[in-house]
Amino acid sequence: MSSTEGEHNRRRRFTHDAFDFPREFEARMEGPYHRRGSLCDRHCIINHPVDLVDTHSGSHQHSLLTPRILPVTSSTPSHCAHHLNDVQGCEGCLTKTTITAENEVEALKLSNNYKFGFKKWKSHVTERPWEDRSEIVKELYSDLNVVKSFTESTVTCSNVIYVLLFGWWLSLVYILVAGVMFLSLLGVPYGKLCWKLAGYFLWPFGKVIQKSQVSNRRCCVRFQKCEAIPEVDEAEKTPLISGCEKAYGHETKFGAACDVSYWWRISTYLWFLMGFPLLIVCHGLVCFFSWILVFFIPISKMNARTVSTVLLMPPEQVHILQMKRTEVFYETEVILCCYHAVNVYYYKFAVDGINVFAVNLLLLVLVTLVMGYGDSHNEYTSSPVKFTLSLISIMPLSYYIGMAIASISAQSNFAVGAVVNATFGSIIELTFYITALVKGAREGNKCYEEVVKSALTGTVLGCVLFVPGLCMVVGGLKHSEQRFNSRSAGVSSALLFISVGGVFAPTLFSKVYGKLVCGDCLNITQNSSARFLCQNCELEVVGQNSTLFYGETQPLVYTVCFLLPAAYLIGLIFTLKTHSHIYDIHISDCHVPGHHHSAVVHWSRWRSMVILILATLAMSACADLATEHISPILANSTVSQYFIGVTVLAMVPELPEIVNGLQFALQNNISLSIEIGSCIAVQVCMLQIPILVLFSVFYPTGFTLIFSDLHVWASIFSVILMNYIFMDGKCDYFQGTVLVIVYLIILAMYFFAPSPVGC
């Protein structure tokens, strides 16, 4: 008797964690080989203080920790204390920040993030191994066909919202189709199926749709506190199944209709003519709107699986069962099983490496282009609406451009990556600026030029003050103090000083040699040689049509536009070649045996190039629509045009970069957050402005490097303040708050400033 009980106990186990990983698996994953990283990461840092940084936000269980090795004072080379024969040359681990990645492509992408002039990209360019993902992320990609034990109630707020949005009318449609199929007589089996599905879609949570098999009879097993183990002897299988059928009270019945081929029935074609088309339309609408809502994607998957699988099955093989909390189904094919209508973690969901929000916003891009070019006379929409849609459409396109650039750089050598980043890194802003200048030149409106100058200045101010300040605040709320590489930040600060000095040099030159023009002058002594008392005096800068401009200022502009790209090139050579050690980055290339995975890239190089070109063309079209419909906004604006250029036109295209910076800051990687703003500001001054001046040589747009006093002093003060904040290599939320407040003060100045000349 005891042996029989022991045999029976070996065939069952408690089902509280029926679908969780086994305990021994969790213990193994938490052991020394729980991640694929460098042996240096595990052994070289034993005797040295480290600061562990989570480099993968998507994984909650098996995160890769990047050890930031603090400087050591030992003058003698140190070696790994353990596995000395396996790991050679780990001395670099003692003085450099070690980056671990799943594969070589991902490691190169992470390395490019620290290179000056390369776009900083947070998302993966390769597919993450399935075993490295957390259970939360794995659930996002499930097909809703996994039955699991649950203890919480299915009556939740999100499930009730589903009933109010979709459930009631979808169930009503099924009742209507069921009535039609019953009236047709031949479609009675499908009428019964629709009647059952009407109750299912009214409240699908906690219910299971199963498919019965004709050739191999399977059953549903229910125990009170145990589950069946399928590994049993063949001799014992029959009594277990028969006992199961009696215990559950459900005997699978297969009529003569099962013997007839599904596609030879008249009822099948009657179903595809009278019921299936309407249901496809209804389920398609539910799929579309639930996918757009993102967090309701489980509902979208449920409806898609219903159309592609359930409605195409023979009706006698579809069984809908109400699952109890202690039930676990075995030896059956589960088609559909849903527990919750909403999953808040779907903001992490990606389609071919692209975040779901960027995928959904492609629809907005399509709508914008159709409305913009199809309704050219504004019969259906107004110009402000088209301008707003065009500006918002730039955001997803900039995300695709960034993903394409990062993918190409990660799969190419250094030269190709540098060329792609320098060519397409500023394509978003340049496309908008050039189209605006061309439109202003055609209309003879100087306001477009002033708006472009405001947008250029606003990009510099936002990237110098707002982006690093906001990242410091967000990161400082999670980490009390964050450190960054002061040497690399010093290089960016020096280039910013050169940039600002070069860009505003023609403005200062024109003011020094300009004329003082006064409105009212009075000669008190009535003597021609006496002094005059003047009022309403203004300093007139060198005009574009004056002799001094063509003789002195314009050559200075060309000289500056030649020197700034040269300085940028020297900065690239300094940081990437001759003095690349200042970044203290070490890419780990020693992997745990058996845990190395080959790279499976989301986008190949050719595919990335095609997407990059298509996104650039779409960006040009959206920029053209934005500049085409900005005129009413500039003419009827109640605020200064300076403010519109500094805020909306400058910062909206940079929103993807801001999001990347915030993600880096939350992972205690404030260095990349700072470098994002600095690199954009440097590229604006050293690449974008010289390109605009060069474009004006071939196409006369009237663009000159003569800025207003507010642009000059706000930019100079911002660069000085940023350099002061970054001197010690440490930051916290207070320093970030200072930068954000200064930025808001400058924005208030632009808000109350009078409109520029020509607007």
Side-chain angles (χ1 to χ4, degrees):
M1 183 68 181
S2 60
S3 61
T4 305
E5 292 179 353
E7 185 73 19
H8 179 67
N9 290 333
R10 283 194 295 270
R11 292 174 184 163
R12 65 190 183 111
R13 61 185 177 88
F14 290 100
T15 60
H16 178 70
D17 295 322
F19 287 86
D20 293 337
F21 283 113
R23 300 294 182 183
E24 63 272 16
F25 181 78
E26 295 179 358
R28 180 171 58 86
M29 296 305 292
E30 293 174 359
Y33 299 104
H34 74 285
R35 63 179 177 87
R36 290 174 292 101
S38 171
L39 295 176
C40 302
D41 304 341
R42 300 197 316 272
H43 306 303
C44 291
I45 61 175
I46 293 177
N47 298 322
H48 302 280
V50 298
D51 182 16
L52 296 178
V53 182
D54 188 358
T55 60
H56 298 282
S57 60
S59 179
H60 298 267
Q61 202 172 31
H62 314 300
S63 300
L64 299 183
L65 300 179
T66 300
R68 301 176 60 88
I69 310 304
L70 300 181
V72 296
T73 57
S74 176
S75 58
T76 59
S78 302
H79 297 275
C80 299
H82 303 275
H83 298 272
L84 187 59
N85 296 329
D86 297 335
V87 181
Q88 301 294 335
C90 290
E91 297 86 349
C93 301
L94 302 177
T95 58
K96 293 186 177 183
T97 300
T98 302
I99 298 178
T100 57
E102 292 91 345
N103 48 67
E104 291 79 2
V105 176
E106 204 64 39
L108 185 56
K109 188 231 24 177
L110 294 175
S111 177
N112 290 337
N113 284 342
Y114 290 88
K115 294 178 181 178
F116 175 78
F118 280 70
K119 182 176 286 291
K120 280 61 179 170
W121 194 250
K122 175 64 175 61
S123 302
H124 279 67
V125 297
T126 60
E127 294 183 5
R128 294 191 61 192
W130 186 254
E131 63 271 14
D132 286 350
R133 302 188 181 190
S134 66
E135 292 303 310
I136 294 177
V137 177
K138 288 180 180 179
E139 186 177 355
L140 303 181
Y141 297 92
S142 66
D143 293 330
L144 300 182
N145 59 353
V146 178
V147 181
K148 56 185 178 181
S149 60
F150 66 99
T151 57
E152 69 275 5
S153 174
T154 58
V155 181
T156 60
C157 181
S158 60
N159 292 351
V160 173
I161 293 176
Y162 158 79
V163 176
L164 298 178
L165 292 179
F166 309 111
W168 68 272
W169 64 266
L170 193 58
S171 177
L172 196 62
V173 171
Y174 268 99
I175 293 176
L176 177 62
V177 175
V180 173
M181 298 307 294
F182 278 125
L183 292 177
S184 66
L185 298 181
L186 294 176
V188 170
Y190 287 98
K192 295 179 180 179
L193 174 62
C194 291
W195 180 260
K196 293 188 295 184
L197 290 177
Y200 176 82
F201 282 103
L202 181 63
W203 188 266
F205 312 107
K207 299 178 182 178
V208 179
I209 297 181
Q210 291 180 324
K211 178 182 179 180
S212 60
Q213 301 293 333
V214 178
S215 58
N216 184 18
R217 298 176 61 185
R218 299 185 180 183
C219 69
C220 171
V221 184
R222 181 179 66 179
F223 296 94
Q224 293 300 321
K225 282 190 176 181
C226 60
E227 65 179 16
I229 299 299
E231 290 80 13
V232 296
D233 295 336
E234 193 68 23
E236 298 179 352
K237 190 175 297 184
T238 303
L240 283 178
I241 293 178
S242 60
C244 163
E245 292 176 350
K246 295 179 181 179
Y248 190 73
H250 169 70
E251 296 186 9
T252 307
K253 299 179 180 180
F254 299 102
C258 294
D259 299 329
V260 182
S261 178
Y262 175 65
W263 297 104
W264 287 92
R265 306 176 190 174
I266 300 177
S267 60
T268 300
Y269 297 96
L270 191 66
W271 162 251
F272 281 111
L273 289 176
M274 301 178 61
F276 191 67
L278 178 61
L279 295 178
I280 285 182
V281 174
C282 295
H283 282 294
L285 292 175
V286 176
C287 281
F288 174 77
F289 288 108
S290 57
W291 182 276
I292 293 297
L293 294 175
V294 176
F295 300 107
F296 283 85
I297 288 181
I299 301 302
S300 180
K301 288 184 176 181
M302 181 178 66
N303 285 267
R305 193 166 182 83
T306 300
V307 173
S308 62
T309 304
V310 177
L311 298 183
L312 299 178
M313 293 166 49
E316 65 274 5
Q317 294 186 16
V318 180
H319 301 280
I320 301 176
L321 305 176
Q322 179 70 44
M323 178 179 162
K324 305 298 182 181
R325 295 187 180 183
T326 56
E327 288 179 342
V328 177
F329 296 95
Y330 287 89
E331 298 297 331
T332 55
E333 182 178 355
V334 177
I335 302 299
L336 195 57
C337 182
C338 184
Y339 298 96
H340 300 286
V342 172
N343 190 336
V344 295
Y345 292 99
Y346 262 98
Y347 69 90
K348 298 182 178 181
F349 189 74
V351 180
D352 202 12
I354 296 297
N355 186 269
V356 62
F357 289 102
V359 174
N360 290 346
L361 286 176
L362 280 181
L363 179 63
L364 179 64
V365 176
L366 180 62
V367 171
T368 300
L369 296 178
V370 172
M371 291 177 55
Y373 291 101
D375 184 25
S376 57
H377 300 290
N378 295 337
E379 296 179 358
Y380 302 100
T381 54
S382 60
S383 291
V385 173
K386 293 180 180 179
F387 171 77
T388 304
L389 293 178
S390 301
L391 208 60
I392 297 177
S393 299
I394 292 177
M395 291 188 293
L397 293 175
S398 63
Y399 184 90
Y400 280 85
I401 291 176
M403 178 71 175
I405 292 175
S407 298
I408 295 174
S409 302
Q411 301 176 66
S412 307
N413 54 30
F414 166 77
V416 174
V419 171
V420 171
N421 279 270
T423 305
F424 292 94
S426 302
I427 195 67
I428 302 170
E429 298 85 354
L430 285 174
T431 303
F432 180 79
Y433 299 153
I434 291 176
T435 54
L437 292 175
V438 170
K439 182 174 176 59
R442 291 176 179 175
E443 297 180 358
N445 190 349
K446 296 290 294 181
C447 188
Y448 286 93
E449 179 186 354
E450 295 299 327
V451 169
V452 169
K453 293 178 181 178
S454 300
L456 290 168
T457 307
T459 304
V460 174
L461 295 176
C463 294
V464 170
L465 297 177
F466 181 70
V467 173
L470 185 62
C471 294
M472 289 180 186
V473 172
V474 174
L477 295 178
K478 185 177 180 180
H479 311 280
S480 59
E481 184 179 84
Q482 294 182 294
R483 296 178 177 271
F484 56 90
N485 192 333
S486 59
R487 291 197 63 186
S488 61
V491 174
S492 301
S493 299
L495 290 175
L496 273 177
F497 271 114
I498 298 174
S499 303
V500 171
V503 167
F504 296 120
T507 304
L508 298 176
F509 180 84
S510 63
K511 290 183 178 297
V512 169
Y513 295 99
K515 296 182 295 183
L516 189 64
V517 179
C518 300
D520 300 325
C521 294
L522 178 62
N523 188 351
I524 302 177
T525 60
Q526 301 298 326
N527 187 352
S528 58
S529 61
R531 296 181 177 179
F532 288 85
L533 180 63
C534 300
Q535 297 178 348
N536 300 327
C537 296
E538 296 180 355
L539 182 63
E540 182 183 24
V541 299
V542 176
Q544 183 177 353
N545 297 323
S546 63
T547 305
L548 183 60
F549 175 81
Y550 288 106
E552 306 293 342
T553 307
Q554 193 175 53
L556 176 61
V557 170
Y558 294 151
T559 303
V560 168
C561 291
F562 171 78
L563 294 176
L564 288 179
Y568 183 81
L569 181 60
I570 294 174
L572 288 178
I573 297 174
F574 178 81
T575 56
L576 302 181
K577 286 297 183 182
T578 61
H579 290 70
S580 59
H581 59 274
I582 65 175
Y583 290 100
D584 294 335
I585 300 300
H586 169 68
I587 304 298
S588 175
D589 56 356
C590 44
H591 301 274
V592 178
H595 287 72
H596 176 65
H597 292 258
S598 59
V600 180
V601 295
H602 291 300
W603 297 354
S604 64
R605 278 179 292 187
W606 286 108
R607 182 182 180 185
S608 300
M609 184 59 67
V610 171
I611 294 176
L612 181 59
I613 295 174
L614 293 178
T616 303
L617 294 177
M619 176 78 67
S620 302
C622 292
D624 180 68
L625 290 175
T627 54
E628 184 70 25
H629 298 281
I630 197 177
S631 300
I633 298 177
L634 296 177
N636 304 321
S637 176
T638 57
V639 298
S640 174
Q641 284 78 5
Y642 283 139
F643 183 78
I644 297 176
V646 169
T647 55
V648 179
L649 303 181
M651 298 308 298
V652 169
E654 308 300 337
L655 284 179
E657 302 291 344
I658 296 176
V659 172
N660 283 333
L662 293 177
Q663 290 178 333
F664 286 130
L666 288 174
Q667 292 184 348
N668 201 20
N669 198 347
I670 196 65
S671 297
L672 292 183
S673 301
I674 294 174
E675 286 295 328
I676 285 176
S678 300
C679 287
I680 295 176
V682 169
Q683 286 183 348
V684 167
C685 297
M686 291 190 166
L687 292 180
Q688 295 180 18
I689 291 180
I691 290 175
L692 293 178
V693 173
L694 180 63
F695 179 80
S696 298
V697 173
F698 298 97
Y699 189 96
T701 60
F703 180 76
T704 60
L705 290 186
I706 309 297
F707 292 83
S708 67
D709 292 348
L710 186 56
H711 293 333
V712 174
W713 303 120
S715 300
I716 293 177
F717 175 75
S718 300
V719 173
I720 294 175
L721 178 62
M722 186 202 72
N723 187 65
Y724 173 75
I725 294 292
F726 293 167
M727 282 191 342
D728 57 353
K730 299 182 296 183
C731 65
D732 48 45
Y733 74 91
F734 175 74
Q735 293 177 331
T737 304
V738 170
L739 294 178
V740 173
I741 290 179
V742 171
Y743 177 74
L744 295 178
I745 292 174
I746 294 176
L747 287 188
M749 295 171 59
Y750 279 106
F751 182 84
F752 295 105
S755 298
V757 179
C759 293

